[in-house]
Coordinates of all heavy atoms in Angstrom, one line a residue:
V20 N 6.1 9.6 17.8 CA 5.4 10.8 17.7 C 5.8 11.8 18.7 O 6.0 13.0 18.4 CB 3.8 10.5 17.8 CG1 3.0 11.8 17.9 CG2 3.4 9.7 16.7
R23 N 9.1 13.4 17.7 CA 8.9 14.3 16.6 C 8.3 15.6 17.0 O 8.6 16.7 16.6 CB 8.1 13.7 15.4 CG 8.6 12.5 14.8 CD 10.1 12.5 14.5 NE 10.5 11.3 13.7 CZ 10.9 10.2 14.3 NH1 10.9 10.0 15.6 NH2 11.4 9.2 13.5
I24 N 7.3 15.5 18.0 CA 6.7 16.7 18.5 C 7.7 17.6 19.3 O 7.7 18.8 19.1 CB 5.5 16.3 19.4 CG1 4.4 15.7 18.6 CG2 5.0 17.5 20.2 CD1 3.3 15.0 19.5
L25 N 8.5 16.9 20.1 CA 9.5 17.7 20.8 C 10.5 18.4 19.9 O 10.9 19.5 20.1 CB 10.3 16.7 21.8 CG 11.3 17.4 22.7 CD1 10.7 18.4 23.6 CD2 12.1 16.3 23.5
L26 N 10.9 17.7 18.8 CA 11.8 18.2 17.8 C 11.1 19.4 17.1 O 11.7 20.5 16.9 CB 12.2 17.2 16.8 CG 13.2 17.6 15.8 CD1 14.5 18.1 16.4 CD2 13.4 16.5 14.8
G27 N 9.8 19.3 16.8 CA 9.1 20.3 16.2 C 9.0 21.5 17.1 O 9.1 22.7 16.6
F28 N 8.7 21.3 18.4 CA 8.6 22.4 19.3 C 9.9 23.1 19.4 O 9.9 24.4 19.4 CB 8.1 21.9 20.7 CG 8.0 23.0 21.7 CD1 6.9 23.9 21.6 CD2 8.9 23.1 22.7 CE1 6.8 24.9 22.6 CE2 8.9 24.1 23.6 CZ 7.8 25.0 23.6
S30 N 12.5 23.3 17.3 CA 12.8 24.0 16.1 C 11.9 25.2 15.9 O 12.3 26.3 15.5 CB 12.8 23.1 14.9 OG 11.6 22.5 14.7
T56 N 4.7 26.2 19.7 CA 3.5 25.5 20.0 C 2.7 25.2 18.8 O 2.2 24.0 18.6 CB 2.6 26.2 21.0 OG1 3.4 26.5 22.2 CG2 1.4 25.5 21.4
N57 N 2.6 26.1 17.8 CA 1.9 25.9 16.6 C 2.5 24.8 15.8 O 1.9 23.9 15.2 CB 1.8 27.2 15.8 CG 0.8 28.2 16.3 OD1 -0.1 27.8 17.1 ND2 1.0 29.4 16.0
I58 N 3.9 24.8 15.7 CA 4.6 23.8 14.9 C 4.4 22.4 15.6 O 4.3 21.4 15.0 CB 6.0 24.2 14.7 CG1 6.1 25.3 13.7 CG2 6.8 23.0 14.2 CD1 7.4 25.9 13.4
A59 N 4.4 22.4 17.0 CA 4.2 21.1 17.7 C 2.8 20.6 17.4 O 2.6 19.4 17.3 CB 4.4 21.4 19.2
M60 N 1.8 21.5 17.3 CA 0.5 21.0 17.0 C 0.4 20.4 15.6 O -0.3 19.4 15.4 CB -0.5 22.1 17.2 CG -0.8 22.5 18.6 SD -2.2 23.6 18.9 CE -1.8 25.0 17.9
C61 N 1.1 21.0 14.7 CA 1.1 20.5 13.3 C 1.8 19.2 13.3 O 1.3 18.2 12.6 CB 1.8 21.5 12.4 SG 1.0 23.0 12.1
C62 N 2.9 19.0 14.0 CA 3.6 17.8 14.1 C 2.7 16.7 14.7 O 2.7 15.5 14.3 CB 4.9 17.9 14.9 SG 6.2 18.8 14.1
T63 N 2.0 17.0 15.7 CA 1.1 16.1 16.4 C 0.1 15.6 15.4 O -0.2 14.3 15.3 CB 0.4 16.7 17.6 OG1 1.3 17.2 18.5 CG2 -0.5 15.8 18.3
A64 N -0.6 16.5 14.7 CA -1.6 16.0 13.7 C -1.0 15.2 12.6 O -1.5 14.1 12.3 CB -2.3 17.3 13.1
C65 N 0.1 15.6 12.0 CA 0.7 14.9 10.9 C 1.2 13.5 11.3 O 1.0 12.5 10.7 CB 1.7 15.7 10.2 SG 1.1 17.1 9.4
Y66 N 2.0 13.5 12.4 CA 2.7 12.2 12.8 C 1.6 11.2 13.4 O 1.8 10.0 13.2 CB 3.8 12.4 13.7 CG 5.1 12.8 12.9 CD1 5.6 14.1 12.9 CD2 5.8 11.9 12.2 CE1 6.7 14.5 12.2 CE2 6.9 12.2 11.5 CZ 7.4 13.5 11.5 OH 8.5 13.8 10.8
S67 N 0.6 11.7 14.0 CA -0.4 10.8 14.6 C -1.2 10.2 13.4 O -1.4 9.0 13.5 CB -1.4 11.6 15.5 OG -0.7 12.1 16.6
C68 N -1.5 11.0 12.4 CA -2.2 10.4 11.2 C -1.2 9.4 10.5 O -1.7 8.4 10.0 CB -2.6 11.5 10.3 SG -4.0 12.5 10.9
V114 N -5.1 20.5 10.3 CA -4.5 21.7 10.7 C -5.0 22.9 10.0 O -5.3 24.0 10.5 CB -3.0 21.6 10.6 CG1 -2.3 22.9 10.8 CG2 -2.5 20.6 11.7
F132 N 1.2 19.9 3.6 CA 1.8 19.0 4.6 C 2.2 17.6 4.0 O 3.1 17.0 4.6 CB 0.9 18.9 5.8 CG 1.0 20.1 6.7 CD1 0.1 21.1 6.6 CD2 2.0 20.1 7.7 CE1 0.2 22.2 7.4 CE2 2.1 21.2 8.5 CZ 1.2 22.3 8.4
M136 N 5.8 16.2 4.8 CA 6.0 14.9 5.4 C 6.8 13.9 4.5 O 7.6 13.1 5.0 CB 4.7 14.2 5.8 CG 4.0 14.9 7.0 SD 4.9 14.6 8.5 CE 4.4 12.9 8.8

Side-chain angles (χ1 to χ4, degrees):
V20 171
R23 301 316 185 271
I24 292 169
L25 182 61
L26 182 64
F28 178 75
S30 62
T56 304
N57 286 338
I58 291 179
M60 287 191 303
C61 293
C62 288
T63 302
C65 291
Y66 279 106
S67 298
C68 289
V114 167
F132 280 96
M136 287 291 287

